[in-house]
Amino acid sequence: MQLNQWPESTRPREKLLAQGAQALTDAELLAIFLRTGLPGCNVVQLAHQLLAGFGDLFHLMAASQRQFCQAKGLGKAKYVQLQAVMEMARRVMATELSRTAIDGSEAAKRYAASHLAHLANETFAVLLLDSQHRLIEFKALFHGTINQANVYPRIVVQQALAANAAAVILCHNHPSGVAEPSNADIRITQTIRDALALVDIAVLDHLVVAQGAVTSMAERQLM
């Protein structure tokens, strides 16, 4: 059945307007993004097929350009559109964090995940904060293999001083998919915290990001 033959209240766009985006399933949200289906396959059916092929919405959005463009119903134009949407979302979050204090970790978790969760290689980054704990800048500093990134505390201190930061939140991803801090994570956190303390810059947290999960080392009392 073509989408225009569905009851109006069940069509993704009309449902979003009536109930809000949060009421839609992953397939319905993806269908709105896709806009059109394929011959013999309406856009919602195509969305279900794509989600089944990639595993879930996260893996579809985190796919490489090659993987994304090879999927039936997608292509370079859709890939460009998706990257633009994701970057706009990151910039909106950055603006929000630059205007309000990061008093809890949830906003920082969401922001760190938006930058790191989809990456195939381990990346270590910092959220540089002002004296009121508002975001100055997010900087990815070190990139490693799928298992590890070499982290140099001296570089972290230099970047924090250059941004005139009063505090930082450390973050890195675990491409393995397990957001569990390792002993090495705990050790480097303590080393960076001690180095930054010498220049009166506080380390508020260290976030470990994996697909679908973010662990706060401060919440776990591992700092």
Side-chain angles (χ1 to χ4, degrees), residues 24-83:
L24 274 63
T25 65
D26 288 353
E28 290 169 334
L29 289 169
L30 181 58
I32 291 175
F33 171 78
L34 294 172
R35 296 180 59 191
T36 59
L38 297 171
C41 178
N42 69 48
V43 68
V44 175
Q45 291 171 328
L46 175 60
H48 279 290
Q49 290 176 12
L50 289 168
L51 289 175
F54 282 94
D56 54 34
L57 191 58
F58 174 88
H59 286 91
L60 186 152
M61 297 181 73
S64 68
Q65 181 179 343
R66 181 185 61 81
Q67 292 171 325
F68 187 93
C69 293
Q70 284 180 343
K72 191 175 181 180
L74 300 177
K76 188 178 293 185
K78 284 287 190 294
Y79 180 80
V80 169
Q81 184 181 343
L82 176 62
Q83 296 309 306

Side-chain angles (χ1 to χ4, degrees), residues 18-184:
Q19 302 179 42
Q22 71 279 358
L24 274 63
T25 65
D26 288 353
E28 290 169 334
L29 289 169
L30 181 58
I32 291 175
F33 171 78
L34 294 172
R35 296 180 59 191
T36 59
L38 297 171
C41 178
N42 69 48
V43 68
V44 175
Q45 291 171 328
L46 175 60
H48 279 290
Q49 290 176 12
L50 289 168
L51 289 175
F54 282 94
D56 54 34
L57 191 58
F58 174 88
H59 286 91
L60 186 152
M61 297 181 73
S64 68
Q65 181 179 343
R66 181 185 61 81
Q67 292 171 325
F68 187 93
C69 293
Q70 284 180 343
K72 191 175 181 180
L74 300 177
K76 188 178 293 185
K78 284 287 190 294
Y79 180 80
V80 169
Q81 184 181 343
L82 176 62
Q83 296 309 306
V85 168
M86 292 174 65
E87 181 59 24
M88 284 191 293
R90 283 191 285 264
R91 293 186 187 190
V92 168
M93 284 190 283
T95 300
E96 176 190 3
L97 293 179
S98 70
R99 293 175 177 173
T100 58
I102 304 176
D103 294 324
S105 63
E106 291 309 312
K109 284 180 181 179
R110 290 194 301 271
Y111 187 66
S114 74
H115 280 274
L116 300 175
H118 62 287
L119 300 180
N121 294 324
E122 188 164 321
T123 299
F124 184 97
V126 291
L127 280 71
L128 301 164
L129 310 177
D130 66 15
S131 60
Q132 297 183 51
H133 295 173
R134 296 173 302 194
L135 181 67
I136 300 171
E137 188 179 2
F138 173 93
K139 289 193 74 77
L141 298 179
F142 310 108
H143 305 276
T145 65
I146 195 168
N147 294 316
Q148 63 182 358
N150 292 319
V151 177
Y152 300 99
R154 175 174 56 85
I155 303 299
V156 179
V157 173
Q158 288 176 347
Q159 293 295 326
L161 288 172
N164 197 28
V168 302
I169 294 176
L170 311 175
C171 52
H172 77 283
N173 64 318
H174 280 180
S176 64
V178 180
E180 185 65 27
S182 66
N183 290 332

